[in-house]
Amino acid sequence: MLYNCNSWAAPQNILNKLDVCHRKHLKRIIKMTYPIIISNRDLYARCNVTPLSERVTKSRWRMLGHILRGDSNSPAQLAFSFAVESMINMKGRVGIDIKVIFSKLFYVI
């Protein structure tokens, strides 16, 4: 389900749908039927798992660290530096720094 999730460009609504699907599968695994209600936090604690959206976010941050530590002439590093430079040189609102760029690219845990 999470194959190559470090390269997904998934917006928050897609990650929410992924979490909903994950919770539905967890409820089926533990045979939780409709009249029985369990909170999401309790469901994750009972199954001893974390939400998939958190795993995707951590994986994306891990991949970013891998790219930043890589060779400066690698294709991934060149593409990343091009993306950052193109976002910085955009016309319009002033005051975009690297923290804002990263917060737009990656969701904060």
Side-chain angles (χ1 to χ4, degrees):
M1 207 185 225
L2 295 180
Y3 177 74
N4 208 13
C5 67
N6 53 12
S7 62
W8 292 355
Q12 190 62 40
N13 63 342
I14 299 297
L15 293 176
N16 289 341
K17 289 179 183 181
L18 184 66
D19 283 339
V20 168
C21 179
H22 184 225
R23 287 191 298 267
K24 184 189 284 188
H25 290 155
L26 290 175
K27 287 179 183 179
R28 286 182 184 164
I29 290 170
I30 63 172
K31 297 179 181 169
M32 187 74 64
T33 58
Y34 168 68
I36 303 170
I37 297 174
I38 186 170
S39 70
N40 296 337
R41 186 177 300 139
D42 292 339
L43 177 65
Y44 289 130
R46 184 171 175 181
C47 296
N48 197 21
V49 295
T50 58
L52 292 182
S53 60
E54 287 183 16
R55 292 188 204 174
V56 169
T57 304
K58 286 180 184 178
S59 178
R60 292 175 74 192
W61 278 109
R62 205 172 306 129
M63 178 54 88
L64 176 65
H66 179 70
I67 290 171
L68 292 176
R69 286 186 303 272
D71 184 29
S72 61
N73 291 328
S74 68
Q77 183 75 23
L78 293 173
F80 180 75
S81 60
F82 175 76
V84 170
E85 288 172 9
S86 66
M87 290 179 95
I88 290 174
N89 295 330
M90 292 174 65
K91 293 182 180 180
R93 186 174 173 180
V94 181
I96 296 177
D97 60 350
I98 197 73
K99 184 178 178 183
V100 174
I101 292 170
F102 283 151
S103 66
K104 287 181 181 179
L105 291 176
F106 299 98
Y107 300 109
V108 179
I109 296 177

